């Protein structure tokens, strides 16, 4: 065991930091109050990701066959940390490089690869992920959006919800039902978002404008060649994709940065002398650190080529604990932060409260830990 | 960053496993509040397990791994202070080692007995002396801790002053306790999981009820992170990491000591089930070095001044 970064890893981190420092606009902090899926940040990311691509830090972790540098899981982690801590200037394009690209490479047809990979590598595409439905959230496999094959075309009808980026995305990675067989009846279709019959409605939210949407599909018709993988293969493919993305966003880094910021503000106001406040701040820092170590233990499994399963749920839950603690700390001791005194802390709060819901809720992580880490006997169904 | 065990570490942990096998379970019909074994202690010393920190290619992380591993046994072994703090003071100090905060004589000291080295750490430096019969008041016979404890009645006039920095010794002390707590947390979790997976009520194992599953899962998260934070603190040598690691371990300890006895129902109130051999050590560790508040203040100081 060895807890120091190598010189190369340090250099890689500094390269990213220096790039961000040199290329983010002066008003970036205020600007990043727009959520990662907002129109403003999406438009910004379309330019920014081009620069990242030119500098070789858009997808350096991709294998060389895909045009990457084949850097390892630690470098991918470092890249994700530095971007998230900076307020995620890639907007929704982080998904492209984390899992959409590698999944296209593995399961896509030649036509699909030719069509979709290049725009990703140029920083020019935005995807959305059409999984959740009004009646299929945690119980995703009960989804009902139907795709029927008629005369060489899929006709899609149904509704998705909570779809991030949908308002501006060019393509939807859509889960549809093609048969009644629960998990094996789900099929992925890559749907251009400008296809007639798609209606997107923004949902007003606590987490920033333009972040979450409802998406309606009314007789949306796409050629059969838009199917990704085979009929019924969605569950397997999503499982593979998430293996690249199991830990999700390295939220603990931003939580920790927000905490540091809060402490600096308290100090400046002369309000960081009380033992109680100091102990609470330290508790928050310890929880961020806890989440960091748990996340790193999972990254190590990737480095070692081991399967990543339920350990990532444990790391995810540790992250939820850290996010919650920091959000609560800021409000209790710096209520002014969310009312204009700190765009950065407001941005953190908006993103932080999402940790226990998006991409699989906290309680679902606990269910997984109970069954698969602790191997407790299963709940009756 | 390299978080897997190296070959040496794997070998050492495997070796401890085989050496400690006879001590991995509680002797039949034993209903002690605390278990100790002189033979186990001797075997550990003889095989050099408490001296790994000074070996260059092993170092403090390996020492923390050894301490964590030994704490999983139902037997209380004075390993943490000896393996992780003693090398920084004087590797020749006779064991057991009792670490004491300067001025805190009212607190029970773990492993205090005649011949033990008491190390006093505080503003006036790092000093030690060998405890004698006259200085020791035994704790009440059925003291509620899973460690042997006793009180100091007096400090000797003369103590050996050590050329060691009190802040650095306190740091190592925090890491040592965090590593010990991590092992106790792991063993207590395993013991509880076994019980609730087997015990049936309402026609099904207790562990199938979500009210229990979720609390156990949260306990797993705390236990897993306590382990990693202890190892990390050992590896980095940072004051902040050490204080956060012990803070987190103490927070976890408070939580699981309640949960696990609760989950065992009446069985959790008995000496027939071994759970207390881990939890009633954890309970005492929640008070170590001033408890969470003191760790929090130390972490805040190290992080933000
Ligand atoms: C900001 C944000 C962005 C998102 N982006 C996307 C996106 O781009 N694409 C997409 O497809 N989805 C997206 N989601 C949806 C997200 O994946 C779902 O919200 C999540 O899976 C939970 O589903 P739900 O909201 O229907 O909650 P529900 O499933 O209704 O859950 C409500 C509560 O019940 C609990 N619960 C549910 N089942 C159990 C159980 N078995 N045991 C115990 N407790 C249970 C949950 O933990 C939760 O606390 C996003 C969500 C958010 C908040």
């Amino acid at each position: 065991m060895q807890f120091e970064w190598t010189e190369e890893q340090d250099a890689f981190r500094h390269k990213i930091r220096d790039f961000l420092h040199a290329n983010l606009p002066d008003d970036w902090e205020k600007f990043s109050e727009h959520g990662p899926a907002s129109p403003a940040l999406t438009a910004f990311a379309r330019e920014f990701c081009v620069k990242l691509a030119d500098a070789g830090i858009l997808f350096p972790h991709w294998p060389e066959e895909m045009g990457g540098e084949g850097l390892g899981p630690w470098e991918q982690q470092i890249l994700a940390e530095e971007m998230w801590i900076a307020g995620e200037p890639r907007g929704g394009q982080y998904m492209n490089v984390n899992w959409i690209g590698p999944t296209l490479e593995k399961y896509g047809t030649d036509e699909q690869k030719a069509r979709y990979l290049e725009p990703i590598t140029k920083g020019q595409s935005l995807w959305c992920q059409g999984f959740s439905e009004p009646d299929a959230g945690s119980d995703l496999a009960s989804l009902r959006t139907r795709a029927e094959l008629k005369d060489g075309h899929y006709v899609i009808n149904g509704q998705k919800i909570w779809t991030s980026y949908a308002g501006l995305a060019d393509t939807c990675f859509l889960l549809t039902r093609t048969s009644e067989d629960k998990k094996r009846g789900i099929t992925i279709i890559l749907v251009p978002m400008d296809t007639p019959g798609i209606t997107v409605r923004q949902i007003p939210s606590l987490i920033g404008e333009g972040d979450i949407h409802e998406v309606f599909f009314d007789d949306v018709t796409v050629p059969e060649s838009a199917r990704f993988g085979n009929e019924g293969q969605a569950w397997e493919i999503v499982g593979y994709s998430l293996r690249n993305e199991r830990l999700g966003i390295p939220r603990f880094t931003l939580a920790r940065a927000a905490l540091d910021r809060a402490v600096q503000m308290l100090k400046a106001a002369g309000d960081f002398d009380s033992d109680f406040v100091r102990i609470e701040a330290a508790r928050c820092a310890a929880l961020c650190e806890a989440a960091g170590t748990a996340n790193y233990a999972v990254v190590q499994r990737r480095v070692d080529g081991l399967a990543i399963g339920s350990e990532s749920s444990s790391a995810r839950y540790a992250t939820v604990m850290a996010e919650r603690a920091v959000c609560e700390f800021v409000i209790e001791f710096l209520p002014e932060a969310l009312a204009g005194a700190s765009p950065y802390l407001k941005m953190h709060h908006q993103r932080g409260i999402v940790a226990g819901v998006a991409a699989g809720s906290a309680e679902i992580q606990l269910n997984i830990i109970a069954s698969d880490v602790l191997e407790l006997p299963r709940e009756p169904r | 960053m390299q978080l897997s065990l190296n070959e040496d570490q794997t070998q050492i942990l495997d070796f401890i496993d085989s050496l400690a096998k006879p001590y991995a379970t509680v002797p039949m019909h034993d209903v002690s509040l605390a278990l100790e074994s002189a033979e186990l202690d001797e075997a550990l010393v003889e095989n050099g397990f408490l001296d790994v920190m000074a070996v260059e290619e092993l170092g403090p992380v390996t020492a923390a791994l050894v301490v964590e591993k030994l704490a999983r046994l139902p037997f209380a072994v004075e390993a943490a202070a000896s393996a992780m703090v003693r090398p920084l003071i004087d590797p020749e100090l006779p064991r057991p080692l009792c670490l004491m905060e300067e001025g805190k004589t009212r607190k029970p000291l773990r492993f205090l007995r005649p011949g033990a080295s008491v190390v006093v750490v505080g503003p006036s430096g790092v000093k030690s002396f060998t405890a004698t019969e006259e200085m020791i008041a035994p704790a009440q016979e059925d003291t509620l801790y899973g460690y042997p404890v006793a009180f100091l009645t007096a400090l000797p006039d003369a103590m050996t002053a050590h050329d060691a920095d009190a802040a650095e010794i306190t740091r190592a002390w925090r890491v040592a306790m965090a590593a010990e707590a991590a092992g106790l947390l792991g063993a207590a979790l395993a013991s509880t999981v076994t019980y609730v997976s087997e015990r049936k009520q309402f026609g099904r194992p207790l562990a199938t009820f979500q009210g229990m599953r979720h609390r156990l899962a949260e306990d797993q998260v705390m236990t897993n992170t306590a382990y990693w934070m202890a190892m990390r603190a050992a590896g980095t040598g940072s004051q902040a990491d050490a204080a956060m690691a012990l803070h987190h371990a103490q927070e976890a300890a408070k939580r699981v000591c309640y949960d696990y006895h609760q989950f065992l129902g009446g069985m959790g109130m008995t000496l027939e089930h071994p759970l207390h051999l881990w939890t009633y050590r954890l309970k005492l560790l929640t008070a170590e070095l001033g408890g969470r508040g003191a760790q929090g203040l130390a972490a805040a100081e190290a992080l933000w001044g």
Side-chain angles (χ1 to χ4, degrees), chain A residues 129 131-132 137-138 162 164 207 354 357-359 361 363-364 367, chain B residues 210:
Chain A
Q129 179 185 326
F131 290 12
S132 307
S138 300
W162 314 128
S164 302
I207 55 174
V354 166
V357 180
S361 75
E363 288 71 24
I364 296 301
N367 287 347
Chain B
Q210 201 181 52

Side-chain angles (χ1 to χ4, degrees), chain B residues 8-296:
Chain B
D8 288 335
Q9 290 168 337
T10 308
Q11 244 175 28
I12 288 174
L13 295 183
D14 286 349
F15 195 23
I16 293 182
D17 266 339
S18 54
L19 184 140
K21 209 170 201 158
Y23 307 94
T25 49
V26 180
M28 283 278 264
H29 307 304
D30 192 298
V31 288
S32 315
L33 268 153
L35 277 180
E36 273 197 289
S37 161
E39 296 77 39
L40 170 62
D41 199 85
E42 216 164 277
L44 292 170
V45 170
E46 254 170 39
N47 287 284
F49 289 124
L50 304 183
D51 300 316
V52 296
M53 189 163 122
V55 182
E56 202 179 322
E57 51 295 2
L58 301 177
V61 175
T62 309
L65 287 165
V66 167
V67 168
E68 194 268 351
K69 185 87 174 166
L70 291 172
R72 288 171 175 265
L73 299 172
F75 288 79
V77 180
E78 194 288 281
S82 285
M84 300 191 68
V85 184
R86 187 175 64 156
L88 304 176
I89 303 172
D90 171 3
E92 302 303 322
L93 278 182
R95 294 183 59 253
L97 217 68
C98 307
L99 300 173
M100 187 185 134
E101 285 178 274
E102 191 176 327
K104 298 282 160 71
T105 41
R106 75 179 161 84
K107 295 194 177 178
L109 283 181
R110 295 176 301 114
F111 301 103
L112 180 62
R113 62 191 51 152
S117 299
V118 178
V119 178
V120 185
V121 185
S124 47
V126 180
K127 293 178 255 173
S128 74
F129 61 91
T130 303
T132 59
E133 193 103 46
E134 312 78 70
M135 303 172 186
I136 299 173
Q140 183 181 335
E141 199 174 321
D142 47 359
T143 292
L144 279 177
Y145 291 118
Y147 288 111
V149 295
F151 293 95
L152 268 183
T153 52
L155 293 175
D157 297 331
M159 295 191 233
T160 311
H162 296 279
D163 181 18
D165 174 28
E168 172 60 7
I169 298 305
T170 306
R171 180 200 63 75
W173 181 355
R174 288 197 173 102
V175 182
M177 291 305 122
E180 171 125 349
L184 295 168
L185 287 164
L189 175 60
S191 172
T192 305
V193 161
T194 304
Y195 184 85
V196 299
S197 299
E198 289 169 359
R199 163 82 176 161
K200 285 193 175 139
Q201 284 295 283
F202 303 98
R204 49 195 258 216
L206 289 175
T208 60
F209 291 97
Q210 201 181 52
M212 197 171 269
R213 296 169 82 79
H214 278 193
R215 269 160 70 186
L216 279 168
E218 287 188 321
D219 294 332
Q220 188 278 338
V221 173
M222 292 297 283
T223 299
N224 178 46
T225 48
Y227 171 89
W228 283 110
M229 287 172 82
M231 295 310 149
R232 183 179 164 86
T236 64
S238 124
Q239 285 285 359
D241 286 349
M244 288 193 286
L246 185 53
H247 180 284
H248 193 70
Q250 289 177 323
E251 180 107 14
K254 261 172 69 97
R255 184 192 156 98
V256 309
C257 286
Y258 175 78
D259 275 1
Y260 296 170
H261 284 276
Q262 199 62 22
F263 293 163
L264 263 61
M267 190 54 85
M269 310 291 124
T270 70
L271 291 176
E272 290 176 3
H273 191 283
L275 179 64
H276 67 280
L277 294 172
W278 299 289
T279 51
Y280 276 67
R281 278 188 271 166
L282 281 171
K283 282 193 182 194
L284 186 53
L285 291 191
T286 64
E288 193 82 1
L289 277 158
R292 288 172 309 149
Q295 269 43 268

Side-chain angles (χ1 to χ4, degrees), chain A residues 27-168:
Chain A
D27 64 346
W28 168 250
E29 203 158 276
K30 176 79 188 144
F31 186 81
S32 70
E33 242 190 275
H34 299 289
S38 62
L41 215 151
T42 301
F44 173 85
R46 278 196 198 269
E47 288 178 19
F48 193 72
C49 288
V50 176
K51 294 186 195 168
L52 284 172
D54 291 345
I57 42 183
L58 188 60
F59 49 92
H61 53 283
W62 283 10
E64 282 166 27
E65 313 84 85
M66 288 178 69
E69 290 176 50
L71 298 182
W74 287 120
E75 286 73 15
Q76 184 175 354
Q77 176 72 19
I78 290 168
L79 178 64
E81 287 182 6
E82 292 303 317
M83 291 296 165
W84 188 249
I85 212 172
E88 193 48 278
R90 298 173 299 182
Q93 292 199 43
Y94 85 92
M95 287 198 322
N96 300 1
V97 294
N98 278 9
W99 66 267
I100 291 180
T103 307
L104 280 167
E105 175 74 10
K106 182 164 165 78
Y107 292 99
T109 61
D110 288 342
E111 184 196 327
Q112 287 164 343
K113 286 189 217 179
R115 175 168 178 183
Y116 293 119
L117 275 174
E118 191 173 294
I120 289 182
T121 60
K122 296 259 161 67
Q124 284 302 319
S125 71
L126 184 66
W127 288 68
C128 65
Q129 179 185 326
F131 290 12
S132 307
E133 297 181 3
D135 290 326
S138 300
D139 184 13
L140 182 61
S142 66
L143 64 88
R144 291 204 304 246
T145 293
R146 182 162 292 283
E148 276 176 286
L149 191 56
K150 281 186 199 152
D151 307 328
H153 285 77
Y154 280 104
V155 181
I156 304 165
N157 280 289
Q159 186 196 339
K160 295 289 167 178
I161 194 169
W162 314 128
T163 324
S164 302
Y165 318 111
L168 296 156

Side-chain angles (χ1 to χ4, degrees), chain A residues 356-374:
Chain A
V357 180
S361 75
E363 288 71 24
I364 296 301
Q365 308 309 320
L366 292 178
N367 287 347
I368 296 172
I369 297 166
S371 299
D372 300 349
V373 180
L374 295 175

Side-chain angles (χ1 to χ4, degrees), chain A residues 158-230:
Chain A
Q159 186 196 339
K160 295 289 167 178
I161 194 169
W162 314 128
T163 324
S164 302
Y165 318 111
L168 296 156
D170 3 82
T171 318
C172 182
F173 194 95
L174 183 71
L175 298 192
T176 63
R177 179 154 300 288
T178 46
S179 89
E180 290 316 311
D181 195 346
K182 208 175 178 196
K183 286 180 184 165
R184 273 174 301 191
I186 306 176
T187 300
I188 299 168
I189 302 185
L190 308 181
V191 183
M193 286 299 283
D194 58 4
T195 315
I198 296 180
T199 311
V200 177
R201 190 181 77 83
Q202 231 186 73
I203 304 174
S205 78
L206 293 167
I207 55 174
E209 99 274 22
D211 236 290
I212 42 181
H213 308 80
E214 288 177 292
V215 185
F216 301 90
F217 296 83
D218 293 307
D219 286 333
V220 172
T221 304
V222 293
E224 190 177 354
S225 60
R227 188 186 65 228
F228 189 67
N230 300 321

